């Protein structure tokens, strides 16, 4: 968005002469591709001329995934060669005679190449080869041969550093580390494409940010609950200790001797059978969960006999 849009016309040289250091650090310029000297000819298509040629051999095969137990497609570039020749950007209507030399096109973050030839060569397999491929877990499908070119006469949008070097105007990668573009899209379409990409990354950042905050919230909430439970347990232990001390200090410990082991306040009034323990008051016996078990030995209570002290 901050790139300065300049026109490829007779005023371009004057604009660069007025710029500091005869340089526009980040500029947008649109023109048509024109070779400087000789052009590159397609190896497969007649009368197809270009300035950038990329030949690719790509291997296609199926690989057995031992985790999912499925055959997955696998692609690998086994050979790639890129040929270039110097080229300029010229106005669509060649009237002003102004040209811009494009430098280091292969360093562009987006270099629009047109696929002019594509052919898939399937692999021929015998029966023994098929058996060997199933054993090894790899099944070759074939080789795909592709030729891509930046053809002469292609409308190109360049985004980069524009500099006047002696009498030559050059478009080159920016020194500030900003992206360098050579795209067949017009500037508005290229800008919308980059904004869509940025929007997707922003959405993913927000989603993962909310997910991280939610995980941290649940972890902190869990730790807070554990802290509250430990604090409550310590408080109950302290109250139990204080109750024991009060009972020990009352009537020479006689009350503690006959106190219910559950509430430590009422006197024992029940005999549990068949174990025979005398350890609880009638109210605490009623509060025991089903099936009722002796608080001392954890044996099941089949019968209760009331105890009366005279």
């Amino acid at each position: 968005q901050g790139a300065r849009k300049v026109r490829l016309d007779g005023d371009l040289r004057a604009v660069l002469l007025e710029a500091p250091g005869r340089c526009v650090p980040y500029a947008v310029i649109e023109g048509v591709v024109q070779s400087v000297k000789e052009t590159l000819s397609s190896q497969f298509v007649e009368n197809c001329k270009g300035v950038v040629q990329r030949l690719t051999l790509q291997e296609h095969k199926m690989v057995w995934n031992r985790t999912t137990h499925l055959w997955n497609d696998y692609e690998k570039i086994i050979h790639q060669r890129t040929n270039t020749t110097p080229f300029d950007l010229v106005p669509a209507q060649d009237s002003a005679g102004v040209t811009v030399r494009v430098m280091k096109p292969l360093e562009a973050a987006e270099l629009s190449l047109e696929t002019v030839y594509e052919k898939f060569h399937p692999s021929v397999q015998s029966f023994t080869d098929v058996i060997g491929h199933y054993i090894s877990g790899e099944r070759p499908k074939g080789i795909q041969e592709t030729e891509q070119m930046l053809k002469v006469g292609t409308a190109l949008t360049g985004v980069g550093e524009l500099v006047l070097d002696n009498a030559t105007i050059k478009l080159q990668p920016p020194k500030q580390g900003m992206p360098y573009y050579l795209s067949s899209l017009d500037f508005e379409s290229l800008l919308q494409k980059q904004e869509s990409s940025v929007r997707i990354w922003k959405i993913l950042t927000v989603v993962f940010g909310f997910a991280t905050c939610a995980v941290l919230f649940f972890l902190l909430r869990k730790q807070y609950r554990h802290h509250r439970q430990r604090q409550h347990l310590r408080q109950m232990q302290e109250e139990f200790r204080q109750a024991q001390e009060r009972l020990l200090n009352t009537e020479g410990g006689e009350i503690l001797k006959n106190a219910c082991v559950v509430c430590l306040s009422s006197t024992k009034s029940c005999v549990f059978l068949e174990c025979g323990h005398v350890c609880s008051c009638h109210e605490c016996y009623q509060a025991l969960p089903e099936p009722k078990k002796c608080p001392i030995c954890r044996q099941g209570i089949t019968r209760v006999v009331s105890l009366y002290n005279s």
Side-chain angles (χ1 to χ4, degrees), residues 12-204:
L12 179 58
R13 191 178 300 273
V15 170
L16 291 174
L17 287 172
E18 295 176 358
R22 297 184 176 183
C23 172
V24 178
Y26 208 44
V28 179
I29 193 164
E30 297 178 351
V32 176
V33 174
Q34 176 181 285
S35 62
V36 176
K37 295 180 181 179
E38 58 183 16
T39 58
L40 301 173
S41 300
S42 171
Q43 293 187 4
F44 305 98
V45 182
E46 294 183 0
N47 300 323
C48 183
K49 305 289 185 179
V51 293
V52 179
Q53 179 189 46
R54 179 170 293 165
L55 300 169
T56 305
L57 290 178
Q58 190 173 36
E59 179 186 16
H60 292 258
K61 61 182 178 180
M62 304 288 289
V63 177
W64 176 255
N65 191 319
R66 301 183 185 277
T67 304
T68 60
H69 299 284
L70 296 173
W71 288 96
N72 298 329
D73 288 322
Y74 178 77
E75 299 176 358
K76 178 183 177 181
I77 295 178
I78 57 178
H79 179 73
Q80 188 175 77
R81 186 178 79 241
T82 303
N83 303 318
T84 61
T85 186
F87 67 96
D88 294 336
L89 292 181
V90 299
Q93 297 177 352
D94 194 5
S95 57
V98 179
T99 62
V100 174
R101 180 69 49 84
V102 179
M103 310 299 295
K104 301 179 180 179
L106 299 183
E107 294 185 11
E110 180 174 330
L111 178 61
S112 297
L113 298 179
E114 180 183 351
T115 301
V116 297
Y117 175 82
E118 187 174 15
K119 186 175 182 181
F120 184 77
H121 303 277
S123 60
V124 179
Q125 304 175 17
S126 63
F127 180 73
T128 55
D129 292 335
V130 172
I131 296 176
H133 296 154
Y134 272 98
I135 295 175
S136 63
E138 293 186 0
R139 288 190 305 171
K141 297 171 62 177
I143 302 295
Q144 183 174 357
E145 189 176 16
T146 306
E147 182 182 24
Q148 295 174 300
M149 296 191 71
L150 178 60
K151 295 194 293 186
V152 174
T154 302
L156 207 63
T157 300
V159 183
E161 184 182 72
L162 204 60
V163 60
L164 178 60
D165 186 8
N166 295 328
T168 306
I169 303 175
K170 296 180 180 180
L171 178 68
Q172 59 191 17
K175 294 184 177 63
Q176 293 82 359
M178 291 179 288
Y180 181 40
Y181 294 102
L182 293 173
S183 175
S184 59
L185 301 173
D186 59 79
F187 178 66
E188 296 300 329
S189 301
L190 181 61
L191 187 60
Q192 291 177 3
K193 181 179 179 180
Q194 302 306 316
E195 288 177 347
S196 300
S197 177
V198 170
R199 192 178 302 114
I200 292 174
W201 281 109
K202 286 182 179 179
I203 294 173
L204 291 176

Side-chain angles (χ1 to χ4, degrees), residues 223-234:
Q223 291 294 329
Y224 176 73
R225 284 185 173 182
H226 286 171
H227 175 72
R228 289 292 301 271
Q229 289 176 357
R230 289 194 297 267
Q231 188 176 10
H232 182 64
L233 180 60
R234 287 195 296 268

